[in-house]
Amino acid sequence: MSVSIPEVTSGFSIFGFEITNTMVWTWIILGALSVLFIWLGSGLKVKPESKKQIVAETIYGLVGNLVESNIGPNTKAFIPYFTALFAFILTSNLSGVWGLGVIRPPTADVATPFALALMTCVISQYYHIKMNGVKEYFKGFLGPVPFMTPIMLPMNIISEIANPISLTLRMFGNLLGGLIIGTLIYSMLIGSNVMPIWIAIGSVVLCAVLLTKQYKKIKNLEKGKKKLVMGLGILCCLPLFAMIFVHGYFDIFSGCLQTYIFCLLSMIFISP
Amino acid sequence: MEGLNITGQDLIYAASAIGAGLAVGLAAIGPGIGEGFAAGKGTEAVGRQPEAQSKITTTMLMGQAVSETTGLYGLVVALLLIFVKPF
């Protein structure tokens, strides 16, 4: 048994296209989210009657506030895009929480963040042209005064190209770094990719047993033996603590933060 | 040094490993200082205005995550050196 960094592997190919596990999980997440949001958006009424509609309106309101405060007024057209972006990135970042290598987060493959960042880049260029007009858009590249053009033109072009790359590398680096550090901690304390699930189930069962029947027996033990039992219990739980640290920090905290950052920076790049 | 055959490829791998370590280590200095500075300023701001703590924390975390990117560039370079082996 050994721990290895979860890799992008291709199980099979269709018409020469390699179908990797990233693509499979992306499709599954997209399908689940589509079903969820279609269900949330169906049967809406002017006067909310169901809890479902209130949830849907809350999500719409949250994203709408964020979009309006960052891009500007009258930007309702962006709300569906950003809701989808937010939901997809959040779900795929959090999907690593089940254990190392159970689901490889699709965003830990460089292709997924790059595709998302490219989408943001195309939308932002289109929106800038639409808002400023073609002439003003190209004038913006030339800089404020004519004699500065030779310096400003390359700088502006590079800064436009750097935006999607920095968005991509931020998300990819965070997720893959989390996977690698998680692998190191797993190999130090746990020693297997599959073990943690059994440890988690085992410890839950153990806790249930201890709490119900055997608790009195342990309570009546003499002091030295009690300490031994407690120590053994804590030692058994050590891998669990490591797991909680790894997945709590790198998947939940970092995942949520990166989702927020990605969406916020996309909005800032799009805003004219 | 008999029996020790170091080919050019081995040397390149060794240099790649050292380079990967250096890339992460040196790239971690800047973001470390920057994030610490941001956290210090955030603490100051909370001390001056405790009622705005949640907003300050959010803004601070966002700024830190953005400034972390420069460190992550180093990490990506190290990963390329170790796993992709471009040379």
Side-chain angles (χ1 to χ4, degrees), chain A residues 5 7 162 165-167 169-174 176-177 180 249 253-254 257-258 260-261 264-265 268, chain B residues 35 57-70 72-77 79-80 82-83:
Chain A
I5 301 166
E7 283 174 348
I165 293 174
S166 83
L167 269 182
L169 289 186
R170 183 174 299 122
M171 179 103 96
F172 168 68
N174 255 296
L176 194 67
I180 291 171
Y249 182 76
F253 175 74
S254 193
L257 197 67
Q258 289 309 314
Y260 185 68
I261 299 277
L264 211 66
L265 285 178
I268 290 168
Chain B
E35 284 178 31
T57 311
T58 318
T59 318
M60 187 192 79
L61 281 178
M62 216 201 86
Q64 285 182 335
V66 171
S67 65
E68 210 178 51
T69 316
T70 49
L72 290 172
Y73 292 154
L75 177 73
V76 170
V77 169
L79 292 179
L80 286 177
I82 293 174
F83 292 111

Side-chain angles (χ1 to χ4, degrees), chain A residues 64-103:
Chain A
N65 270 336
L66 216 60
V67 167
E68 202 168 326
S69 60
N70 282 306
I71 301 183
N74 299 323
T75 46
K76 271 189 181 148
F78 286 118
I79 296 176
Y81 172 64
F82 278 110
T83 312
L85 197 65
F86 209 99
F88 173 68
I89 299 174
L90 189 66
T91 319
S92 32
N93 282 357
L94 290 182
S95 66
V97 87
W98 305 111
L100 212 63
V102 178
I103 302 177

Side-chain angles (χ1 to χ4, degrees), chain A residues 59-221:
Chain A
I59 294 171
Y60 186 86
L62 280 176
V63 180
N65 270 336
L66 216 60
V67 167
E68 202 168 326
S69 60
N70 282 306
I71 301 183
N74 299 323
T75 46
K76 271 189 181 148
F78 286 118
I79 296 176
Y81 172 64
F82 278 110
T83 312
L85 197 65
F86 209 99
F88 173 68
I89 299 174
L90 189 66
T91 319
S92 32
N93 282 357
L94 290 182
S95 66
V97 87
W98 305 111
L100 212 63
V102 178
I103 302 177
R104 193 183 191 279
T107 36
D109 183 357
V110 74
T112 314
F114 188 61
L116 298 174
L118 218 56
M119 254 153 65
T120 294
C121 183
V122 170
I123 289 176
S124 77
Q125 298 307 319
Y126 171 75
Y127 192 62
H128 287 177
I129 291 176
K130 197 184 163 196
M131 289 305 282
N132 300 329
V134 180
K135 209 179 156 193
E136 285 290 311
Y137 171 77
F138 285 110
K139 238 183 182 174
F141 279 103
L142 298 179
V145 268
F147 69 86
M148 280 175 79
T149 303
I151 309 168
M152 293 303 281
L153 185 66
M155 277 171 92
N156 280 331
I157 292 173
I158 288 172
S159 82
E160 289 296 326
I161 296 170
N163 279 345
I165 293 174
S166 83
L167 269 182
T168 308
L169 289 186
R170 183 174 299 122
M171 179 103 96
F172 168 68
N174 255 296
L175 269 285
L176 194 67
L179 276 186
I180 291 171
I181 295 172
T183 310
L184 290 178
I185 293 179
Y186 265 49
S187 60
M188 183 174 73
L189 282 171
I190 303 168
S192 164
N193 275 358
V194 201
M195 198 70 157
I197 301 159
W198 297 114
I199 290 175
I201 295 169
S203 57
V204 167
V205 171
L206 205 72
C207 284
V209 168
L210 280 183
L211 284 180
T212 51
K213 275 185 184 168
Q214 306 295 317
Y215 183 66
K216 265 186 188 165
K217 261 189 198 170
I218 289 176
K219 215 176 174 186
N220 293 337
L221 282 177

Side-chain angles (χ1 to χ4, degrees), chain A residues 228-264:
Chain A
L228 196 74
V229 170
M230 290 292 213
L232 273 179
I234 290 172
L235 212 62
C236 287
C237 283
L238 209 64
L240 206 65
F241 289 142
M243 256 177 81
I244 290 170
F245 168 72
V246 168
H247 292 297
Y249 182 76
F250 289 108
D251 282 330
I252 297 176
F253 175 74
S254 193
C256 292
L257 197 67
Q258 289 309 314
T259 311
Y260 185 68
I261 299 277
F262 193 95
C263 292
L264 211 66

Side-chain angles (χ1 to χ4, degrees), chain B:
Chain B
M1 296 292 265
E2 273 171 305
L4 190 66
N5 293 318
I6 299 178
T7 58
Q9 201 60 41
D10 292 342
L11 266 179
I12 285 173
Y13 285 156
S16 296
I18 294 171
L22 280 178
V24 170
L26 291 178
I29 296 173
I33 293 172
E35 284 178 31
F37 194 71
K41 285 287 178 192
T43 319
E44 260 178 38
V46 171
R48 207 178 298 132
Q49 215 170 357
E51 66 272 8
Q53 192 190 9
S54 61
K55 206 163 186 182
I56 291 168
T57 311
T58 318
T59 318
M60 187 192 79
L61 281 178
M62 216 201 86
Q64 285 182 335
V66 171
S67 65
E68 210 178 51
T69 316
T70 49
L72 290 172
Y73 292 154
L75 177 73
V76 170
V77 169
L79 292 179
L80 286 177
L81 282 176
I82 293 174
F83 292 111
V84 183
K85 291 176 187 143
F87 302 113

